[in-house]
Every structure is written in C-alpha cells, then in structure tokens.
C-alpha cells in the first residue's frame, strides 16, 4: 500500500494526514474546497503534500454501475464517485468517514480507513445546511433527516449563504 486517496471532509478537518505516504485527491475535491473558501489552505497542501489526479473512465463506469446496483448511487456525489474510482485505479487506500463511500468501497474491494473523529479539534468551525428545508447539522451530516436533500458544508465563521 503506497498511498491514500482523501475525501473532502478529511481535508476540512485537516488533522493527522498519514505521514510517509503519497496523498491524492480528485479534481472534484479541489472544486469543493475552493467553493468552501479553502483555496489558500488547498494551495499549501498541493505545494507540499498532496497531488491531484483524475480517475479513468473505466473505473468511473464501474463505480457508477456498482453504486446503482447497491442503491448508493443517489447518496454519492460525483466527487465521492471520483475518489472511489481513483482509489480503484491506483490501488490506494481510501481515507473517508462517509458511510456510503465506505459501503461501496467494500463492494469494489477498495480498502478504506475511517478518520479519527476524536482527534478533530476544528470540527465546530464547520456546519452543514440542508439544500431543501434549510435545517442546520454538524459538518459530517451529508443528508437531511427531515426532507432527504443533500446538505452543503459551510464555515460557521465565514459569510453565511442564504
Ligand atoms: Zn431538509
């Protein structure tokens, strides 16, 4: 095992990135971080530790078909599917706490590791807001428990979006 593929939330929390391994993210993760005002931190990470790579069409197609088969497809974002496909391409381990990503990783035979929530000190700086009804959740919640819409992460300190 030579490296890890990281999901967006791992970089939001930004703690305890595995030492001594290659760390890879997908273009979708870059876009999500930029959208959340993390461009500066991202630049630093890209300059020092992390490389961006796109998954093959073949792996993306496999992820898509397997996710439809397991029923995870609607719970997974395009970015989630990208990082699954990337881990498949590279033979790297996925670092993610997302249950749907972990579920599909198991199906695809992609090894994964959860992120140690206890070590997180910055979690309160982030929250999620439902795109449907507007209910606010803690940062790791990706789907609204009231109306089922996907949530968006935002900074609690930064400018609020409507
Ligand atoms: Zn909702």
């Amino acid at each position: 095992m030579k490296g890890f593929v990281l999901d967006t939330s791992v970089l939001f929390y930004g703690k305890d990135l595995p030492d001594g391994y290659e760390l890879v993210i997908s273009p979708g993760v870059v876009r999500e971080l930029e959208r959340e005002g993390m461009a500066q931190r991202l630049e630093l990470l890209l300059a020092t530790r992390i490389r961006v790579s796109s998954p093959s069409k073949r792996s993306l197609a496999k992820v898509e078909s397997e996710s439809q088969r397991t029923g995870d497809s609607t719970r997974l974002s395009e970015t989630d599917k990208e990082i699954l496909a990337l881990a498949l391409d590279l033979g790297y381990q996925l670092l993610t706490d997302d249950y749907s990503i972990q579920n599909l990783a198991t199906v695809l035979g992609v090894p994964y590791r959860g992120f140690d929530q206890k070590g997180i000190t910055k979690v309160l700086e982030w929250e999620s807001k439902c795109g449907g009804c507007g209910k606010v959740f803690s940062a790791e919640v990706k789907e609204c428990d009231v109306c089922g819409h996907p949530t968006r992460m935002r900074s609690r300190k930064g400018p609020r979006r409507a």
Side-chain angles (χ1 to χ4, degrees):
M1 221 283 301
K2 298 173 205 140
F4 287 93
V5 176
L6 312 178
D7 83 355
T8 305
S9 65
V10 168
L11 291 172
F12 271 116
Y13 301 136
K15 281 192 55 119
D16 301 329
L17 294 175
D19 274 320
Y21 293 97
E22 186 179 36
L23 305 176
V24 186
I25 58 176
S26 75
V29 172
V30 172
R31 280 194 298 275
E32 286 184 0
L33 290 171
E34 284 173 347
R35 203 161 56 214
E36 300 300 335
M38 301 265 298
Q40 211 174 355
R41 175 173 162 70
L42 181 66
E43 233 170 86
L44 184 72
L45 288 167
L46 292 177
T48 53
R49 300 207 53 191
I50 297 179
R51 146 177 108 78
V52 181
S53 182
S54 292
S56 67
K57 286 205 169 74
R58 187 171 164 274
S59 289
L60 269 178
K62 186 173 180 187
V63 168
E64 185 57 50
S65 67
E66 286 297 308
S67 69
Q68 280 175 12
R69 196 175 63 76
T70 62
D72 286 306
S73 184
T74 55
R75 280 190 292 274
L76 294 168
S77 69
E78 289 308 308
T79 301
D80 295 341
K81 289 170 187 171
E82 272 185 15
I83 64 165
L84 278 159
L86 202 51
L88 207 56
D89 280 340
L90 298 170
Y92 286 5
Q93 195 170 2
L94 258 180
L95 194 57
T96 179
D97 270 335
D98 185 287
Y99 180 75
S100 289
I101 298 177
Q102 291 180 350
N103 188 43
L104 202 61
T106 305
V107 171
L108 292 163
V110 169
Y112 64 84
R113 196 168 99 185
F115 191 59
D116 182 17
Q117 299 273 2
K118 280 176 290 203
I120 295 166
T121 56
K122 292 181 177 174
V123 65
L124 290 179
E125 293 181 19
W126 298 92
E127 62 188 0
S128 293
K129 188 180 179 186
C130 173
C133 69
K135 184 177 173 184
V136 174
F137 300 89
S138 57
E140 72 275 11
V141 176
K142 292 203 167 171
E143 188 176 280
C144 179
D145 64 4
V146 177
C147 68
H149 280 82
T151 63
R152 280 182 57 94
M153 268 203 250
R154 61 180 188 175
S155 167
R156 292 175 65 151
K157 289 178 179 167
R160 301 262 166 156
R161 290 191 190 87

